[in-house]
Amino acid sequence: MPGTILVSVLEFMDLPLSSSTSIRVSMGKIEYQINGKGDFSFPLTSLRDDLIFKIHDADGNETSRTGVLVRLILEKGVWEDDFPLGTGHLHLKLQFILSDDERDRIRALRQTALKKKQDELLSSSRRGAESDSSTIIGNAALQFSSNDEVSGLILLY
């Protein structure tokens, strides 16, 4: 799956942070520890992974958690909002980013799929036209009586 999710932590609002607590952000197997504002990037490996934010106490125990569906980030492209975490909020900017190479690859895949679909539609319409012409020929043959058709066939041999 191409692309990258860029997470910009813009502000902590009313979060119970101290020197003994930490905020961790993870997606899939990648995890960062946040100590302040900053940017973090996650390669998009699966649409099933969610972006997870967790508060951990001094002992490393999780005290609060919130998640964001990756699918929603992809749909919005750029999403800046306040996300609840524990008793406070995180002000985040989430972005889905594609490199030029990834865009070109996706464009080529789409064009190939579109051409394949057009070819399928053309071949099915041709088969339908052939079916229609055989129906017309078949219906035209019904105008003769069965005796005429049989005798006509015998005369041809």
Side-chain angles (χ1 to χ4, degrees), residues 27-99:
M27 189 170 89
K29 295 179 180 182
I30 300 173
E31 182 175 86
Y32 294 102
Q33 185 165 330
I34 302 172
N35 294 323
K37 297 177 185 178
D39 296 331
F40 309 93
S41 64
F42 297 92
L44 189 57
T45 57
S46 170
L47 294 177
R48 293 187 179 118
D49 291 335
D50 292 334
L51 189 60
I52 306 293
F53 295 89
K54 301 178 270 188
I55 296 178
H56 289 263
D57 63 14
D59 297 326
N61 299 318
E62 182 179 314
T63 60
S64 184
R65 161 193 290 243
T66 191
V68 180
L69 297 174
V70 168
R71 180 183 52 82
L72 294 176
I73 300 169
L74 296 179
E75 288 174 3
K76 293 180 184 277
V78 176
W79 185 8
E80 185 174 334
D81 207 346
D82 294 337
F83 295 88
L85 180 61
T87 58
H89 291 81
L90 285 173
H91 185 171
L92 302 172
K93 183 176 180 182
L94 309 171
Q95 295 177 292
F96 174 62
I97 300 171
L98 285 174
S99 70

XYZ file of all heavy atoms in Angstrom, residues 27-99:
583
model
N 1.269 3.213 14.949
C 0.460 2.693 13.848
C 1.173 1.440 13.371
O 2.339 1.487 12.978
C 0.324 3.699 12.710
C -0.697 3.250 11.658
S -1.100 4.520 10.469
C 0.163 4.210 9.250
N 0.477 0.307 13.457
C 1.112 -0.956 13.112
C 2.209 -1.258 14.115
O 2.021 -1.161 15.319
N 3.374 -1.565 13.613
C 4.492 -1.923 14.485
C 5.378 -0.729 14.851
O 6.317 -0.866 15.630
C 5.354 -2.988 13.811
C 4.612 -4.295 13.612
C 5.479 -5.317 12.935
C 4.710 -6.612 12.747
N 5.513 -7.656 12.138
N 5.096 0.446 14.303
C 5.927 1.628 14.553
C 5.319 2.441 15.683
O 4.104 2.693 15.704
C 6.064 2.482 13.283
C 6.709 1.666 12.175
C 6.859 3.740 13.565
C 6.749 2.363 10.839
N 6.159 2.866 16.625
C 5.685 3.659 17.758
C 6.695 4.760 18.065
O 7.909 4.535 18.013
C 5.495 2.767 18.986
C 4.960 3.514 20.194
C 4.659 2.599 21.362
O 5.597 2.317 22.134
O 3.498 2.183 21.482
N 6.169 5.953 18.369
C 6.995 7.082 18.782
C 6.533 7.535 20.152
O 5.348 7.426 20.489
C 6.839 8.269 17.820
C 7.342 8.040 16.423
C 6.451 7.778 15.389
C 8.696 8.117 16.138
C 6.907 7.587 14.096
C 9.160 7.928 14.845
C 8.257 7.662 13.833
O 8.713 7.470 12.548
N 7.477 8.088 20.924
C 7.120 8.703 22.191
C 7.140 10.210 21.975
O 8.111 10.755 21.437
C 8.105 8.310 23.288
C 7.672 8.848 24.639
C 8.424 8.186 25.780
O 8.812 7.035 25.674
N 8.608 8.927 26.858
N 6.065 10.880 22.393
C 5.924 12.319 22.185
C 6.244 13.028 23.497
O 5.665 12.714 24.532
C 4.480 12.677 21.778
C 4.073 11.939 20.516
C 4.328 14.164 21.604
C 2.606 12.103 20.181
N 7.150 13.985 23.432
C 7.448 14.801 24.604
C 6.981 16.239 24.404
O 6.937 17.008 25.345
C 8.945 14.784 24.897
C 9.403 13.399 25.303
O 8.693 12.679 25.989
N 10.591 13.029 24.859
N 6.672 16.588 23.208
C 6.228 17.940 22.902
C 5.702 17.983 21.486
O 5.427 16.951 20.877
N 5.589 19.185 20.967
C 5.125 19.337 19.592
C 6.145 18.712 18.648
O 7.334 18.680 18.927
C 4.953 20.815 19.253
C 3.896 21.500 20.088
C 3.838 22.975 19.752
C 2.861 23.679 20.672
N 2.815 25.119 20.390
N 5.646 18.200 17.528
C 6.561 17.606 16.566
C 5.824 16.882 15.458
O 4.596 16.771 15.475
N 6.586 16.410 14.496
C 6.037 15.684 13.343
C 6.554 14.251 13.349
O 7.722 14.003 13.648
C 6.456 16.350 12.032
C 5.898 17.750 11.882
O 4.812 18.008 12.431
O 6.545 18.582 11.221
N 5.668 13.331 13.004
C 6.001 11.913 12.941
C 5.384 11.352 11.678
O 4.285 11.736 11.307
C 5.441 11.167 14.161
C 5.817 11.814 15.464
C 4.991 12.741 16.062
C 7.016 11.507 16.064
C 5.341 13.350 17.245
C 7.384 12.096 17.260
C 6.541 13.026 17.855
N 6.092 10.442 11.025
C 5.532 9.853 9.810
C 5.460 8.336 9.945
O 6.314 7.712 10.578
C 6.352 10.244 8.580
O 7.648 9.727 8.672
N 4.421 7.783 9.342
C 4.181 6.345 9.365
C 3.948 5.875 7.936
O 3.045 6.397 7.263
C 2.935 6.006 10.194
C 3.044 6.371 11.640
C 2.611 7.599 12.100
C 3.575 5.474 12.554
C 2.707 7.930 13.433
C 3.667 5.800 13.892
C 3.235 7.034 14.344
N 4.731 4.917 7.463
C 4.431 4.361 6.133
C 3.114 3.604 6.198
O 2.838 2.901 7.169
C 5.601 3.425 5.860
C 6.163 3.106 7.202
C 5.870 4.263 8.094
N 2.286 3.785 5.203
C 0.988 3.123 5.157
C 1.186 1.700 4.657
O 1.543 1.481 3.506
C 0.035 3.890 4.252
C -1.409 3.448 4.254
C -1.989 3.510 5.659
C -2.224 4.310 3.331
N 0.998 0.743 5.551
C 1.197 -0.655 5.180
C -0.110 -1.420 5.113
O -0.200 -2.438 4.440
C 2.124 -1.360 6.184
O 1.562 -1.229 7.486
C 3.509 -0.743 6.167
N -1.130 -0.922 5.805
C -2.414 -1.617 5.818
C -3.512 -0.630 6.164
O -3.319 0.256 7.002
C -2.388 -2.740 6.857
O -3.679 -3.268 7.039
N -4.661 -0.809 5.550
C -5.814 0.030 5.891
C -6.467 -0.441 7.186
O -7.336 0.225 7.722
C -6.836 0.010 4.755
C -6.369 0.646 3.460
C -7.429 0.501 2.385
C -6.013 2.105 3.659
N -6.049 -1.574 7.689
C -6.621 -2.114 8.922
C -5.989 -1.506 10.172
O -6.542 -1.592 11.251
C -6.469 -3.627 8.949
C -7.305 -4.297 7.897
C -7.267 -5.812 8.046
N -8.085 -6.415 7.037
C -7.655 -7.234 6.103
N -6.385 -7.577 6.075
N -8.461 -7.734 5.205
N -4.790 -0.932 10.018
C -4.126 -0.315 11.159
C -4.787 1.009 11.493
O -5.183 1.754 10.592
C -2.641 -0.061 10.859
C -1.842 -1.337 10.743
O -2.255 -2.353 11.337
O -0.796 -1.319 10.063
N -4.903 1.309 12.770
C -5.398 2.601 13.215
C -4.238 3.387 13.810
O -3.236 2.819 14.240
C -6.488 2.434 14.282
C -7.763 1.820 13.723
O -8.012 1.965 12.518
O -8.502 1.197 14.502
N -4.380 4.687 13.826
C -3.408 5.550 14.468
C -3.831 5.641 15.933
O -4.942 6.079 16.232
C -3.430 6.916 13.793
C -2.356 7.901 14.153
C -0.978 7.355 13.826
C -2.583 9.198 13.401
N -2.968 5.202 16.846
C -3.323 5.094 18.257
C -2.465 6.051 19.085
O -1.238 6.083 18.937
C -3.104 3.652 18.785
C -3.847 2.637 17.930
C -3.498 3.542 20.250
C -5.340 2.720 18.008
N -3.123 6.810 19.968
C -2.455 7.688 20.917
C -2.736 7.163 22.313
O -3.891 6.906 22.664
C -2.984 9.123 20.792
C -2.669 9.745 19.463
C -3.535 9.597 18.395
C -1.509 10.476 19.276
C -3.252 10.160 17.162
C -1.216 11.040 18.053
C -2.092 10.878 16.993
N -1.665 7.022 23.140
C -1.811 6.467 24.488
C -1.031 7.308 25.487
O 0.062 7.792 25.173
C -1.278 5.031 24.547
C -1.959 4.075 23.593
C -1.359 2.699 23.674
C -0.229 2.594 22.683
N 0.323 1.263 22.533
N -1.606 7.447 26.686
C -0.885 8.060 27.798
C -0.413 6.930 28.697
O -1.194 6.035 29.050
C -1.788 9.034 28.597
C -2.213 10.208 27.721
C -1.043 9.534 29.834
C -3.136 11.195 28.414
N 0.872 6.974 29.059
C 1.463 5.974 29.956
C 1.947 6.663 31.225
O 2.507 7.770 31.157
C 2.636 5.268 29.269
C 2.218 4.344 28.183
N 2.070 3.007 28.375
C 1.897 4.576 26.885
C 1.688 2.435 27.241
N 1.573 3.376 26.317
N 1.753 5.995 32.344
C 2.243 6.546 33.613
C 3.723 6.228 33.794
O 4.366 5.651 32.902
C 1.404 6.039 34.792
C 1.485 4.537 34.991
O 2.387 3.887 34.411
O 0.642 3.996 35.726
N 4.255 6.582 34.960
C 5.687 6.400 35.230
C 6.113 4.938 35.151
O 7.249 4.631 34.796
C 6.025 6.967 36.600
N 5.203 4.027 35.458
C 5.528 2.598 35.415
C 5.347 1.994 34.026
O 5.546 0.785 33.842
C 4.644 1.835 36.417
C 4.897 2.280 37.844
O 6.057 2.626 38.159
O 3.928 2.281 38.632
N 4.924 2.804 33.078
C 4.732 2.307 31.719
C 3.344 1.731 31.466
O 3.085 1.176 30.396
N 2.443 1.879 32.456
C 1.081 1.377 32.294
C 0.241 2.377 31.503
O 0.323 3.590 31.725
C 0.426 1.141 33.664
C 1.183 0.117 34.470
O 1.617 -0.904 33.935
N 1.356 0.390 35.751
N -0.569 1.848 30.611
C -1.448 2.697 29.803
C -2.590 3.215 30.674
O -3.289 2.450 31.319
C -2.002 1.877 28.643
C -2.875 2.664 27.709
C -3.385 1.818 26.555
O -2.597 1.073 25.944
O -4.589 1.908 26.284
N -2.772 4.537 30.675
C -3.863 5.124 31.470
C -4.992 5.655 30.603
O -6.117 5.799 31.078
C -3.332 6.262 32.364
O -2.759 7.276 31.541
C -2.303 5.742 33.349
N -4.705 5.940 29.351
C -5.741 6.451 28.453
C -5.331 6.174 27.011
O -4.142 6.066 26.699
C -5.920 7.947 28.670
O -6.972 8.422 27.865
N -6.354 6.085 26.146
C -6.088 5.760 24.748
C -7.177 6.361 23.861
O -8.333 6.449 24.236
C -6.082 4.250 24.604
C -6.270 3.712 23.209
C -6.569 2.231 23.203
N -5.413 1.464 23.578
C -4.804 0.599 22.772
N -5.268 0.376 21.583
N -3.748 -0.062 23.165
N -6.765 6.744 22.651
C -7.706 7.146 21.608
C -7.134 6.700 20.272
O -5.920 6.538 20.136
C -7.986 8.668 21.624
O -9.085 8.952 20.757
C -6.792 9.466 21.148
N -8.010 6.485 19.321
C -7.568 6.028 18.009
C -8.244 6.794 16.889
O -9.325 7.358 17.063
N -7.594 6.805 15.760
C -8.126 7.443 14.549
C -8.056 6.410 13.440
O -7.006 5.798 13.210
C -7.300 8.690 14.167
C -7.864 9.335 12.911
C -7.236 9.687 15.306
N -9.165 6.210 12.739
C -9.197 5.273 11.620
C -8.382 5.828 10.451
O -8.580 6.972 10.027
C -10.632 5.037 11.150
C -11.588 4.396 12.147
C -13.008 4.372 11.582
C -11.130 2.997 12.485
N -7.466 5.027 9.947
C -6.622 5.438 8.824
C -7.489 5.757 7.613
O -7.226 6.701 6.870
C -5.578 4.344 8.503
C -4.898 4.603 7.172
C -4.549 4.272 9.607
N -8.556 5.004 7.435
C -9.464 5.220 6.300
C -9.986 6.658 6.288
O -10.095 7.298 5.244
C -10.623 4.227 6.392
C -11.640 4.348 5.286
C -12.795 3.382 5.482
N -13.430 3.446 6.782
C -14.356 4.340 7.144
N -14.735 5.253 6.298
N -14.888 4.314 8.340
N -10.275 7.217 7.468
C -10.777 8.590 7.546
C -9.697 9.600 7.156
O -9.993 10.612 6.529
C -11.300 8.891 8.945
C -12.534 8.092 9.376
C -12.902 8.409 10.814
C -13.704 8.375 8.450
N -8.459 9.317 7.523
C -7.357 10.202 7.136
C -7.203 10.191 5.625
O -7.029 11.238 5.000
C -6.046 9.774 7.826
C -6.191 9.837 9.354
C -4.883 10.658 7.372
C -5.055 9.185 10.109
N -7.302 9.002 5.020
C -7.188 8.896 3.560
C -8.306 9.664 2.869
O -8.081 10.343 1.868
C -7.226 7.437 3.124
C -6.090 6.538 3.593
C -6.306 5.114 3.094
C -4.758 7.058 3.149
N -9.529 9.549 3.399
C -10.676 10.221 2.782
C -10.543 11.735 2.852
O -10.881 12.433 1.908
C -11.969 9.785 3.462
C -12.384 8.378 3.135
C -13.595 7.909 3.933
O -14.166 8.705 4.713
O -13.970 6.734 3.778
N -10.053 12.252 3.973
C -9.956 13.698 4.146
C -8.711 14.286 3.479
O -8.713 15.430 3.081
C -9.967 14.046 5.630
C -11.302 13.744 6.297
C -11.269 14.097 7.765
C -12.535 13.709 8.459
N -13.604 14.661 8.334
N -7.640 13.502 3.401
C -6.390 14.014 2.825
C -5.597 14.803 3.848
O -4.487 14.452 4.190
N -6.177 15.899 4.330
C -5.591 16.709 5.405
C -6.693 16.918 6.437
O -7.805 17.318 6.099
C -5.100 18.083 4.886
C -4.581 18.936 6.033
C -4.032 17.903 3.828
N -6.361 16.643 7.688
C -7.367 16.706 8.745
C -6.737 17.348 9.968
O -5.852 16.780 10.587
C -7.840 15.298 9.055
C -8.958 15.134 10.025
C -9.738 16.104 10.580
C -9.437 13.898 10.552
N -10.664 15.549 11.407
C -10.501 14.197 11.406
C -9.055 12.580 10.373
C -11.203 13.221 12.093
C -9.749 11.609 11.056
C -10.816 11.913 11.897
N -7.199 18.542 10.322
C -6.723 19.217 11.529
C -7.884 19.317 12.496
O -8.951 19.832 12.154
C -6.177 20.608 11.206
C -5.555 21.293 12.400
C -4.879 22.597 12.062
O -4.452 22.777 10.912
O -4.768 23.434 12.978
N -7.674 18.803 13.707
C -8.767 18.753 14.669
C -8.214 18.501 16.065
O -7.039 18.171 16.229
C -9.736 17.626 14.293
C -11.160 17.881 14.768
O -11.380 18.782 15.604
O -12.053 17.165 14.296
N -9.101 18.655 17.067
C -8.782 18.292 18.441
C -9.297 16.884 18.687
O -10.458 16.584 18.401
C -9.454 19.249 19.429
C -8.912 20.665 19.318
O -7.780 20.822 18.841
O -9.623 21.611 19.712
N -8.438 16.029 19.208
C -8.793 14.644 19.465
C -8.739 14.392 20.968
O -7.741 14.724 21.614
C -7.836 13.699 18.726
C -7.932 13.812 17.239
C -7.180 14.738 16.541
C -8.811 12.993 16.531
C -7.280 14.853 15.166
C -8.915 13.089 15.152
C -8.153 14.022 14.469
N -9.823 13.830 21.536
C -9.849 13.600 22.987
C -8.838 12.523 23.392
O -8.670 11.519 22.707
C -11.277 13.129 23.243
C -11.734 12.558 21.945
C -11.018 13.329 20.871
N -8.181 12.788 24.495
C -7.247 11.815 25.057
C -7.256 11.999 26.571
O -6.852 13.062 27.068
C -5.837 12.006 24.502
C -4.767 11.043 25.012
C -5.130 9.594 24.660
C -3.412 11.382 24.424
N -7.755 11.015 27.287
C -7.857 11.124 28.746
C -8.788 12.257 29.114
O -9.895 12.367 28.590
N -8.300 13.136 29.982
C -9.129 14.270 30.411
C -8.896 15.501 29.546
O -9.492 16.554 29.785
C -8.803 14.629 31.876
O -7.408 14.946 31.968
C -9.149 13.468 32.801
N -8.034 15.389 28.548
C -7.717 16.529 27.700
C -7.873 16.226 26.225
O -8.610 15.323 25.827
N -7.159 17.009 25.431
C -7.226 16.885 23.970
C -5.846 17.060 23.366
O -4.990 17.747 23.921
C -8.146 17.957 23.380
C -9.581 17.769 23.707
N -10.131 18.156 24.908
C -10.588 17.213 22.994
C -11.413 17.858 24.918
N -11.715 17.284 23.764
N -5.670 16.460 22.216
C -4.496 16.684 21.378
C -4.955 17.453 20.146
O -5.913 17.055 19.490
C -3.894 15.362 20.906
C -3.098 14.532 21.878
C -2.746 13.189 21.246
C -1.837 15.253 22.283
N -4.284 18.548 19.847
C -4.567 19.273 18.608
C -3.595 18.721 17.569
O -2.381 18.904 17.689
C -4.375 20.766 18.805
C -4.751 21.579 17.612
N -4.820 22.930 17.632
C -5.089 21.224 16.341
C -5.174 23.389 16.444
N -5.333 22.355 15.650
N -4.142 18.018 16.572
C -3.330 17.314 15.587
C -3.650 17.767 14.177
O -4.778 18.155 13.876
C -3.584 15.804 15.655
C -3.340 15.098 16.974
C -3.832 13.658 16.889
C -1.868 15.149 17.334
N -2.659 17.650 13.335
C -2.854 17.776 11.897
C -2.398 16.452 11.298
O -1.250 16.057 11.470
C -2.031 18.927 11.331
C -2.234 19.155 9.851
C -1.447 20.367 9.396
C -1.624 20.623 7.931
N -0.818 21.788 7.497
N -3.317 15.773 10.630
C -3.048 14.463 10.033
C -3.102 14.613 8.519
O -4.044 15.197 7.986
C -4.077 13.445 10.511
C -4.270 13.360 12.030
C -5.462 12.480 12.367
C -3.015 12.846 12.686
N -2.107 14.068 7.826
C -2.051 14.184 6.370
C -1.713 12.842 5.741
O -0.882 12.099 6.262
C -0.962 15.173 5.945
C -1.210 16.595 6.372
C -0.044 17.472 5.973
O 1.049 17.343 6.505
N -0.277 18.358 5.012
N -2.368 12.589 4.615
C -2.017 11.445 3.781
C -1.173 11.995 2.641
O -1.595 12.888 1.910
C -3.269 10.752 3.250
C -2.971 9.655 2.265
C -2.234 8.554 2.651
C -3.420 9.735 0.968
C -1.949 7.543 1.754
C -3.149 8.725 0.061
C -2.414 7.626 0.459
N 0.032 11.452 2.483
C 0.978 11.974 1.498
C 1.400 10.859 0.542
O 1.701 9.746 0.969
C 2.229 12.545 2.193
C 1.813 13.683 3.122
C 3.259 13.013 1.190
C 2.933 14.179 4.007
N 1.401 11.190 -0.750
C 1.923 10.291 -1.786
C 3.097 10.961 -2.473
O 3.036 12.148 -2.790
C 0.852 10.006 -2.845
C -0.272 9.065 -2.490
C -1.302 9.040 -3.606
C 0.251 7.673 -2.236
N 4.148 10.209 -2.727
C 5.265 10.745 -3.509
C 4.849 10.777 -4.975
O 3.853 10.156 -5.379
C 6.512 9.877 -3.327
O 6.324 8.629 -3.959
